[in-house]
Amino acid sequence: METKLNRDEWLEAAMLRWEVPLLRTCFLLLRDRSLAEDAVQQTFLKAWRGYDSFRGDSSEKTWLSRIAVHTCRDIQREKWFRRIDLSVGMEELPEPAEGFREPDDTVTRAILALPDQIRRAVALHYYQGLTVQETAQALGISRRTAHYRLEKAYRLLKEGLEGWYHDA
């Protein structure tokens, strides 16, 4: 029988494992490093408070991603959020996971320009590495809707990046 960690031990381990991936996702959703850092802190606080009620119906990563997406949505709903400058400086982007390098920021800027719902699906599926089913769970939508949003992102990005990348 597996022993469940106490809340504080779990939080420490979860922060080590998921802080940077969640920060990158929140940055893509909020387009601001400070807000993304706040969202990640709020995400872990909410998760810490709800740890005892986590049943394990989804993976820890999916559960935390869902909390992060909802936290970012809450921040975006605030009146003051609509008044801030959302132009993104690439130097503010959190460090990527090891081994991830883009030749320039063209792809990241194209992703940041996607509509919110589509960008959320892209952030979870491609940046967090969630499956389509896990992405759907994290967003609280059907698998079919998640798949549609990812296909739409592919079409928009292909169209927007046409000519930027070519097969050698």
Side-chain angles (χ1 to χ4, degrees), residues 6 16 25 29 35 39 45 69 111 131 162:
N6 77 42
L16 285 172
T25 297
L29 300 179
L35 290 175
L45 180 60
V69 166
I111 292 169
T131 65
E162 191 172 337

Side-chain angles (χ1 to χ4, degrees), residues 8-22:
D8 295 333
E9 292 171 334
W10 170 82
L11 179 63
E12 189 174 326
M15 288 179 72
L16 285 172
R17 190 174 315 123
W18 304 118
E19 184 175 20
V20 173
L22 288 174

Side-chain angles (χ1 to χ4, degrees), residues 62-115:
T62 302
W63 181 59
L64 287 170
S65 295
R66 182 177 177 100
I67 295 170
V69 166
H70 285 284
T71 300
C72 290
R73 256 192 229 153
D74 291 344
I75 290 171
Q76 289 171 323
R77 288 183 180 136
E78 299 287 335
K79 282 186 180 183
W80 60 265
F81 183 80
R82 291 182 218 118
R83 298 180 189 270
I84 62 173
D85 178 15
L86 292 177
S87 57
V88 177
M90 288 296 111
E91 65 280 354
E92 292 185 41
L93 187 64
E95 285 301 311
E98 203 167 315
F100 178 82
R101 293 282 175 243
E102 292 181 31
D104 62 36
D105 63 4
T106 305
V107 173
T108 301
R109 287 192 183 280
I111 292 169
L112 288 168
L114 292 171

Side-chain angles (χ1 to χ4, degrees), residues 146-156:
H147 185 71
Y148 168 78
R149 289 179 185 175
L150 292 168
E151 282 184 345
K152 176 94 173 169
Y154 176 80
R155 286 192 308 273
L156 290 171

